[in-house]
Amino acid sequence: MPATIAPPTATAPDPRRWWTLGVLCLSLLVIGIDNTILNVALPTLERDLGASASQLQWIVDAYMLVFAGLLLTAGALGDRFGRKRALNIGLLIFGAGSAWSAMAGSAESLIAARALMGVGGAFIMPSTLSILTATFPAGERARAIGIWAAVAGLGIVIGPLSGGWLLEHASWHAVFVVNLPFVVATLIAGRWLVRESRDPGAGRLDLLGFALSITGLTALVWAIIEAPSTGWTDPAILGAFGLAAVALGLFAAWELRAPAPMLDVRLFRKRRFSAASIAISLMFFAMFGTIFFLTQYLQLVLGFSALEAGVRVMPVAAGLIIGGPLSARLAQRIGTKLVVAGGLVLVAGGLSILSLAEVGSSYGIVAASLSVFGMGLGLAMAPATDSIMGALPVAKASVGSAVNDATRTTGGALGVAVLGSLLSSHYRGAMESVTHALPDAAADAARDSLAGALVVGGRIGGQAGARLTETAQSAFVGGMHTAVLVAAGIALAGALIALVALPAREADTEPAPAPAAAPEAVVA
């Protein structure tokens, strides 16, 4: 039986901690690669599975919906029953979902498999950050989180690059099979290198809190995802938003009086916690929404193959890899407030550059945009994450990490929904004038998506087909301009919030509202 030992002290930190970080980063890489590898495969999935634009969005968003709905519950279970155990369970479920995705024969089957992967991801993501927080002493934690954030950026570049290569040399099925070696390697390495830890003061399971958080977060993300296609004023959408508001409101009220709350909602009174959460949410709004249509621009407008498009997304990851570790040193010198705000200003600047891209533009504009964009994300992400995690006692690290991940996921889902809706509305409006004379099926396909219009244009051929193709590409780029400028405005709003509300340093914040936690229980 493993022996329970005292946790490492500030003077004697865990000697395996940097190896532990490597295992955690490998776990994070599994998720990062999967989400970005899928974006490159979307045009292929549309063709091979006959997926509609709505189904393509759900292939991406089914994962987000389940992931977001289960995050707080998965984080609380990790704190109670063991974070390493939660990580391993998540990896096993994620691997099973990946295998199912690789064998999917229809868009509906792939959507269901992606939902199962979301269950696994909901256990993996909070566990990586909570284990990091429990393993590293406070003096090294910011640096470790900077590396953790940089690896998230590495996943962004490896995903499109490996996805493009696999699509070119194998098939879309391989983009899911590639997850399995990562899962196996992480499970094996974690067996010896990751220390088990949990909250020793955990009380009874907060079953009502679990139910309310799952209901509220799932309803919120579902409404955000469905609103662009159904309509923001549709009764079902309004009902889902209402359900989310009621469930999350009841969750907050219950957590204030629960004998053993899964989340002390009084933490949101802390500016360090709440302002950083908002900044991360707006950051991921811009990032997920932009990457969703950027890969389509590179392939369907500029004409790059899937592999070439993957290579050309590399500058954003380069910026993240540089900015992540650099942010910890800058935050020590000038404070978290200025680093997070400055990073978000760079994000807005990178998006503004992308608004200059046209149908016949060179790749240079995209490269410059992604470089600035990635550097901004790298600078802002790590210190904002450190602010969230530093505002909680270590015993509640998994729940704190789940809050951090919930803000990322909700922001990302909102970004895909809102920016995708803006682009789609502009595209469909611009296509009306050139599709009215086409047969109904062809007109619907051309108005539904740029990929559909290119297929219809190729079938028509001649000057009429070329005119349809040119109009569709111009319509897509016009919608992209609107979307990236809105994303830039959102990033600037996040920068303003950081400047106004985020304390410069930990010492500037008010005391934590929760009582001091019991010493962390650590199992060798």
Side-chain angles (χ1 to χ4, degrees), residues 17-386:
R17 63 194 182 281
W18 295 106
W19 289 102
T20 300
L21 179 61
V23 176
L24 300 179
C25 288
L26 188 60
S27 304
L28 181 66
L29 205 57
V30 173
I31 298 177
I33 288 176
D34 175 75
N35 284 326
T36 55
I37 204 173
L38 186 60
N39 285 318
V40 176
L42 289 177
T44 305
L45 291 170
E46 182 176 28
R47 182 181 65 249
D48 289 0
L49 295 180
S52 66
S54 175
Q55 287 174 324
L56 284 181
Q57 184 169 328
W58 270 107
I59 290 171
V60 175
D61 288 336
Y63 175 92
M64 282 189 181
L65 180 66
V66 177
F67 181 83
L70 291 178
L71 268 173
L72 289 179
T73 297
L77 291 174
D79 278 337
R80 179 182 180 86
F81 295 110
R83 294 156 191 154
K84 178 179 177 179
R85 180 177 297 174
L87 175 63
N88 289 340
I89 290 172
L91 287 166
L92 290 170
I93 295 174
F94 191 88
S98 297
W100 182 7
S101 296
M103 296 184 291
S106 66
E108 293 80 5
S109 178
L110 183 55
I111 290 169
R114 290 283 297 163
L116 180 62
M117 293 173 71
V119 176
F123 282 89
I124 295 172
M125 195 72 175
S127 299
T128 62
L129 194 51
S130 61
I131 293 171
L132 183 157
T133 302
T135 301
F136 282 86
E140 294 179 340
R141 194 172 299 146
R143 181 184 171 199
I145 288 177
I147 295 172
W148 181 88
V151 169
L154 188 60
I156 289 176
V157 65
I158 292 178
L161 189 59
S162 59
W165 189 89
L166 289 169
L167 288 170
E168 202 165 278
H169 294 86
S171 70
W172 65 263
H173 303 274
V175 305
F176 297 106
V177 174
V178 76
N179 292 333
L180 301 179
F182 283 92
V183 168
V184 172
T186 305
L187 287 168
I188 293 173
R191 171 67 178 81
W192 290 279
L193 296 175
V194 176
R195 183 186 293 262
E196 181 65 282
S197 63
R198 59 177 63 90
D199 176 8
R204 297 175 57 187
L205 286 176
D206 183 11
L207 296 179
L208 182 57
F210 291 167
L212 290 172
S213 70
I214 291 172
T215 301
L217 288 172
T218 302
L220 175 62
V221 176
W222 181 87
I224 291 170
I225 291 170
E226 281 293 286
S229 57
T230 307
W232 292 91
T233 58
D234 182 86
I237 299 302
L238 294 177
F241 277 124
L243 175 61
V246 170
L248 293 176
L250 290 174
F251 172 75
W254 167 250
E255 295 300 289
L256 285 172
R257 59 187 295 270
M262 62 184 291
L263 172 65
D264 186 352
V265 294
R266 292 173 296 176
L267 283 164
F268 286 97
R269 298 174 184 169
K270 291 175 63 67
R271 292 183 296 122
R272 187 181 181 204
F273 187 85
S274 56
S277 297
I278 293 172
I280 284 181
S281 181
L282 298 182
M283 197 186 315
F284 274 73
F285 178 102
M287 182 172 73
F288 271 68
T290 301
I291 291 177
F292 178 74
F293 55 73
L294 180 60
T295 52
Q296 297 177 66
Y297 171 74
L298 289 171
Q299 293 182 68
L300 303 179
V301 177
L302 296 190
F304 294 116
S305 68
L307 177 58
E308 291 169 337
V311 171
R312 283 161 178 78
V313 177
M314 289 179 68
V316 70
L320 271 160
I321 292 168
I322 295 170
L326 178 63
S327 64
R329 293 196 292 272
L330 286 176
Q332 286 181 337
R333 290 187 177 184
I334 63 176
T336 300
K337 175 199 295 280
L338 293 179
V339 177
V340 173
L344 284 165
V345 169
L346 285 178
V347 168
L351 291 170
S352 298
I353 294 172
L354 188 58
S355 71
L356 302 176
E358 299 291 348
V359 173
S361 294
S362 69
Y363 167 70
I365 291 176
V366 176
S369 167
L370 291 179
S371 298
V372 176
F373 182 65
M375 178 63 75
L377 288 172
L379 288 175
M381 193 185 307
T385 301
D386 188 44

